[in-house]
Amino acid sequence: MRIALIGLDCGTPGLLFDRYAEEMPTLAALRARSLWGPLESTAPPITVPAWSCMLSGLTPGELGVYGFRNRRDHGYGNLAFATSRAIRAPRLWDLLGQTGRDSVVLGVPGTYPPSPIRGCMVSCFLAPSTEVEFTFPPEVRDEVQQVTGGYTLDVADFRADDKARIAQQVFDMTEQRFALARHLATTRPWDFLAFVDMGPDRLHHGFWKHCVPDHPKHRPGNRYADLFRDYYRALDRHLADFLEVLPDGTTVLVVSDHGGQPMLGGFCFNEWLLREGLLTLSSPPAGPTPIGKAAIDWSRTTAWGDGGYYGRLFLNVEGREPQGTVPARDYETVRDQLIGKLEALVDHEGRPMGTRAFRPQQLYPEVRGVAPDLIVYFGDLRWRAVGSLGLGQGLYTFENDTGPDDANHASQGVFMLAGDGLPSGRADDMSIYDVAPTLQHLFGLPAPPGQRGKVLA
Amino acid sequence: MTTDGTPAEPEPAQGPDEDDEDVYSASEEDQIAARLEALGYID
């Protein structure tokens, strides 16, 4: 058995299966012989931890990783980046290595620093630069640099107004990633090859409103209106070139970690907590101030939030946080009250926002590390959570308070699995937790403890 | 939560810990944070 996993970060069902399907003949032909459909992502649907969840079969709660930065302890502000070292569970390449099989891993989020595997690994966009040791074995670095002419970890300076430069870098990064995948596929021994292209994610964040009419700020005929179409045409050509070099009989999986959707605006999470009397400052912010730098009077604070594509709400609990104010016996009552308030939020026009707030314990079979007390999807992720204070725009922001961003994540990604003797056709009940059990099954590996996903094929 | 209603202590077996401090230098951490903030991941 030989399997090639082609990861498209933020690959979105509505774009790949519908809107641009006719522009992508290679993907369409692959889909025609695949088991395919939308793939329910992790909660929250965030790149880190989603790829690690996909390839370990475990939830963010079991991994103890809830986003790019996680609280290291219950102090105020002691955050740690979720690097590969935070992922303690074996991922598929680890299991294969234990049975003497080789893997090539390229750009899969959650792989910096690179770890020793049987095969080779080029780590992900969380590598600080290509000056550091970002490959395993280390000598692969020179080969990668030579083949690519300088490996692109990610699009640089993404939050900028020079859209033409950003678009070009996204196209170039995708071309380079597929070219390197082709090189590694044809020069290394492998049973499992997994690579992830971040291009779709960067493209969606940078250009959704230009390209997709479902964004409220879409203007037909704008300069970049055809950028998504052109990008997906190019991606399809790269896909064709990659499939061409795969040995006969290779099983192919095209998969994404989450989808995308238009972002309507930002909800000022901590500004709202201030107004609710749940967050108290010792002095007002002089201007836009990240919550981590705000002068918080912890002795009079019930809750605070971290922003991003989803909101993380933390309660200031007696005996847990250094200056906790919520008695432990009132913890669930306060949490329930907050869920009620959050889910009753209205948008800037007074309409129900459709916010959902989750207790980690209801999402995960185990909650490890320091989880948020509530995971909040403002407007079901159509609004992002703005953690900064002092923006002076009330509760809702629509412009570039932290830079342009057109898209938020959505809970459904894509799945297409094609191989000799495997079933084909559409399925609508697939989960990101099914990926690892399915690939393990195809490789004849037993399921490690804790996995709850099902074998799809 | 524990049975008496108090929040449980965090489970240390997974997630970030002291080992992670060695991964990035302070300047690299700033660089990664800026990249992620630029992408909207962290606010």
Side-chain angles (χ1 to χ4, degrees):
Chain A
M1 173 57 65
R2 190 195 297 261
I3 298 176
L5 182 157
I6 300 156
L8 303 176
D9 199 282
C10 202
T12 303
L15 301 182
L16 295 175
F17 296 158
D18 299 313
R19 184 171 175 82
Y20 299 109
E22 291 185 3
E23 311 289 345
M24 305 184 75
T26 304
L27 194 76
L30 184 69
R31 180 154 57 109
R33 59 187 185 91
S34 290
L35 176 70
W36 68 275
L39 188 74
E40 187 68 22
S41 182
T42 51
I46 300 291
T47 298
V48 170
W51 286 106
S52 293
C53 292
M54 181 194 296
L55 291 159
S56 69
L58 300 179
T59 64
E62 290 160 297
L63 295 179
V65 176
Y66 304 94
F68 286 100
R69 285 197 292 201
N70 298 272
R71 291 176 78 187
R72 196 185 295 276
D73 52 38
H74 281 104
Y76 303 119
N78 191 7
L79 300 176
F81 276 101
T83 69
S84 61
R85 294 185 189 173
I87 310 300
R88 312 286 175 82
R91 284 171 279 185
L92 183 57
W93 49 79
D94 300 310
L95 301 176
L96 288 167
Q98 291 166 10
T99 57
R101 282 174 276 188
D102 296 303
S103 296
V104 170
V105 179
L106 166 59
V108 178
T111 54
Y112 179 78
S115 40
I117 64 170
R118 185 182 168 99
C120 73
M121 176 181 283
V122 180
S123 56
C124 67
F125 70 101
L126 286 175
S129 75
T130 52
E131 300 302 310
V132 303
E133 198 168 277
F134 71 100
T135 66
F136 177 84
E139 57 268 25
V140 171
R141 175 181 176 278
D142 289 344
E143 181 183 339
V144 168
Q145 293 292 65
Q146 187 177 10
V147 168
T148 60
Y151 183 63
T152 303
L153 289 162
D154 202 348
V155 174
D157 301 325
F158 196 85
R159 182 149 295 171
D161 292 326
D162 52 341
K163 291 286 188 183
R165 190 265 306 167
I166 295 168
Q168 189 62 53
Q169 284 196 356
V170 173
F171 276 65
D172 290 348
M173 181 173 70
T174 291
E175 181 177 5
Q176 185 194 78
R177 193 64 53 97
F178 275 85
L180 183 56
R182 280 199 310 275
H183 169 78
L184 295 172
T186 51
T187 58
R188 303 264 159 184
W190 58 275
D191 299 284
F192 179 51
L193 183 149
F195 78 97
V196 173
D197 175 28
M198 299 303 297
D201 185 84
R202 286 19 179 171
L203 190 81
H204 295 170
H205 286 302
F207 296 95
W208 193 289
K209 80 176 175 199
H210 296 87
C211 301
V212 191
D214 65 355
H215 196 291
K217 290 184 180 176
H218 178 73
R219 297 290 176 268
N222 74 81
R223 181 179 174 189
Y224 296 107
D226 294 329
L227 194 70
F228 275 22
R229 182 202 66 190
D230 295 345
Y231 175 82
Y232 282 114
R233 282 179 177 170
L235 190 149
D236 198 67
R237 291 194 296 271
H238 300 321
L239 177 65
D241 291 344
F242 177 73
L243 295 180
E244 200 172 276
V245 304
L246 295 180
D248 288 345
T250 301
T251 293
V252 175
L253 172 61
V254 176
V255 68
S256 67
D257 55 339
H258 57 75
Q261 63 179 324
M263 184 187 290
L264 305 184
F267 183 78
C268 295
F269 195 5
N270 286 307
E271 180 65 34
W272 177 76
L273 289 169
L274 274 176
R275 294 184 184 193
E276 292 290 318
L278 298 168
L279 172 64
T280 303
L281 301 179
S282 52
S283 62
T289 306
I291 187 66
K293 295 181 179 172
I296 297 174
D297 181 349
W298 293 108
S299 69
R300 293 193 294 151
T301 287
T302 298
W304 77 100
D306 271 344
Y309 289 128
Y310 77 105
R312 289 189 268 188
L313 185 140
F314 299 101
L315 290 176
N316 193 26
V317 180
E318 267 183 11
R320 192 184 74 173
E321 273 71 20
Q323 298 179 63
T325 62
V326 178
R329 65 179 177 280
D330 295 338
Y331 177 82
E332 289 297 356
T333 302
V334 173
R335 195 157 68 153
D336 288 346
Q337 288 170 347
L338 271 161
I339 292 172
K341 285 174 180 283
L342 287 162
E343 295 191 341
L345 286 171
V346 295
D347 68 11
H348 58 300
E349 294 179 332
R351 298 170 299 199
M353 187 181 260
T355 296
R356 296 195 292 162
F358 305 96
R359 303 170 191 84
Q361 291 80 5
Q362 80 188 77
L363 296 174
Y364 315 126
E366 285 184 79
V367 180
R368 295 174 179 268
V370 184
D373 293 293
L374 288 175
I375 288 169
V376 187
Y377 295 179
F378 290 102
D380 202 15
L381 295 177
R382 290 183 297 276
W383 293 73
R384 74 183 168 88
V386 178
S388 295
L389 289 160
L391 299 178
Q393 297 179 29
L395 293 178
Y396 310 95
T397 69
F398 300 94
E399 296 304 329
N400 299 352
D401 55 293
T402 57
D405 195 337
D406 292 356
N408 206 345
H409 294 184
S411 292
Q412 289 195 329
V414 299
F415 179 95
M416 281 171 267
L417 179 69
D420 294 342
L422 298 181
S424 61
R426 180 172 175 128
D428 286 294
D429 60 346
M430 299 187 292
S431 154
I432 198 166
Y433 302 112
D434 300 335
V435 174
T438 298
L439 300 184
Q440 289 160 196
H441 175 74
L442 293 174
F443 278 120
L445 292 167
Q451 287 185 347
R452 292 167 182 78
K454 57 186 179 294
V455 172
L456 297 170
Chain B
M1 299 292 286
T2 57
T3 51
D4 64 358
T6 56
E9 284 298 308
E11 166 60 55
Q14 300 266 0
D17 68 2
E18 296 299 316
D19 294 343
D20 295 325
E21 288 183 354
D22 298 328
V23 170
Y24 298 117
S25 68
S27 61
E28 286 173 344
E29 191 151 308
D30 288 345
Q31 181 185 341
I32 296 296
R35 197 192 297 165
L36 294 177
E37 283 169 12
L39 288 163
Y41 286 109
I42 299 171
D43 181 8

